[in-house]
Amino acid sequence: MRIDVVSIFPAFFDVLEVSLLGKARGRGLLDIRVHDLRDWTHDRHRTVDDTPYGGGAGMVMKPEPWGEAIDAVRADASGPPVFVFPTPAGRPFTQRAARALATEPHLFFGCGRYEGIDERVFDYAASVGRVELLSLGDYVLNGGEVAAMAMIEAVGRLIPGVVGNPDSLAEESHEGGMLEHPSYTKPASWRGLGVPDVLLSGHHGEIAAWRARQSEQRTRERRPDLLA
Ligand SMILES: N#Cc1c(-c2ccc3ccn(Cc4ccc(CN5CCCC5)cc4)c3c2)n[nH]c1N
């Protein structure tokens, strides 16, 4: 999978050089290219924002640099990417959305700042490809970078070969619509706290049943919406 990321803070994504995704890049499983939106400005101040039409607080990102960035990535690609724009006004980014994006050969993440991106950028992107306006959650961040990083990690780890043990992906929270069961490791006793006996019993059927009950109980307690 190829992933292009456009941001006015490209250094934010340096962390993608390390950990699992960094190794996946080194193994050719992920081709992540980070771009500075200001590379597509042409004025002395490398301007990317301006005041909003209709008034209001803050600034809005100008469409021109985004249009040139979209065209530059398209020109350098074999087919149109899926354009992903993190936005508080987007539909929820869920594990289902991550799974869908993980099937795409090429993603373009556009990271906005200020009060957002001129709406015509989304319209233009939709005229040349599929656009996904996605929100990380019901809170306001200062820009799209944190959300894009989370989305890239959630999608990247689903690419075959990126995560060492693919079986673990199936047991995670939100994969089966339930929260995952509690996990324990050595020592068997720690600061007076033990491990549930069933996990030390070696009875795999009983362990599986206990884990299923635990998942169901914590989902009911913490995320009843997932059971609705
Ligand atoms: N995913 C995701 C996100 C984001 C996110 C994503 C992308 C950008 C680009 C800029 N910002 C900052 C910002 C700040 C306030 C507003 C609301 N204003 C009211 C009147 C006009 C806008 C809009 C954006 C962003 C925030 N926040 N929370 C999420 N879950």
Side-chain angles (χ1 to χ4, degrees):
M1 174 188 283
R2 175 177 167 178
I3 297 177
D4 286 88
V5 185
V6 178
S7 165
I8 59 172
F9 297 121
F12 186 93
F13 296 91
D14 288 355
V15 74
L16 289 175
E17 296 288 336
V18 300
S19 87
L20 219 51
L21 293 189
K23 291 188 178 65
R25 291 176 82 175
R27 290 164 47 211
L29 294 173
L30 282 174
D31 172 12
I32 302 179
R33 308 179 194 193
V34 182
H35 312 273
D36 185 344
L37 179 68
R38 294 187 196 274
D39 288 350
W40 289 287
T41 62
H42 307 289
D43 63 302
R44 188 157 56 95
H45 297 294
R46 310 186 83 200
T47 306
V48 294
D49 64 308
D50 206 332
T51 53
Y53 276 123
M59 304 290 274
V60 173
M61 298 192 93
K62 295 168 59 62
E64 299 97 323
W66 282 107
E68 291 191 29
I70 288 169
D71 288 347
V73 169
R74 287 174 58 223
D76 177 38
S78 52
V82 173
F83 296 99
V84 181
F85 290 96
T87 167
R91 68 185 177 88
F93 177 70
T94 61
Q95 189 66 15
R96 180 188 299 269
R99 281 200 296 270
L101 291 177
T103 66
E104 297 292 340
H106 187 186
L107 302 178
F108 172 110
F109 282 88
C111 302
R113 277 276 155 170
Y114 307 99
E115 296 293 313
I117 300 172
D118 186 299
E119 190 71 13
R120 291 169 292 180
V121 172
F122 308 141
D123 298 336
Y124 174 68
S127 74
V128 296
R130 190 171 113 225
V131 173
E132 295 290 349
L133 301 178
L134 296 171
S135 172
L136 197 59
D138 294 337
Y139 35 80
V140 182
L141 303 169
N142 285 332
E145 286 81 5
V146 165
M149 184 73 81
M151 295 173 187
I152 289 167
E153 177 153 314
V155 171
R157 64 196 303 278
L158 296 177
I159 305 295
V162 172
V163 171
N165 176 8
D167 294 344
S168 64
L169 292 177
E171 298 170 9
E172 295 175 334
S173 281
H174 307 291
E175 266 306 329
M178 301 275 273
L179 301 185
E180 83 264 22
H181 56 72
S183 296
Y184 299 83
T185 188
K186 300 180 187 63
S189 178
W190 174 72
R191 295 189 177 186
L193 299 169
V195 172
D197 291 338
V198 66
L199 298 181
L200 307 176
S201 70
H203 294 303
H204 298 296
E206 290 178 21
I207 291 168
W210 180 85
R211 285 174 167 170
R213 286 194 305 275
Q214 290 290 316
S215 288
E216 204 269 332
Q217 178 185 338
R218 62 173 36 181
T219 305
R220 195 172 52 252
E221 289 167 358
R222 302 178 191 174
R223 289 296 306 275
D225 59 296
L226 294 178
L227 297 173

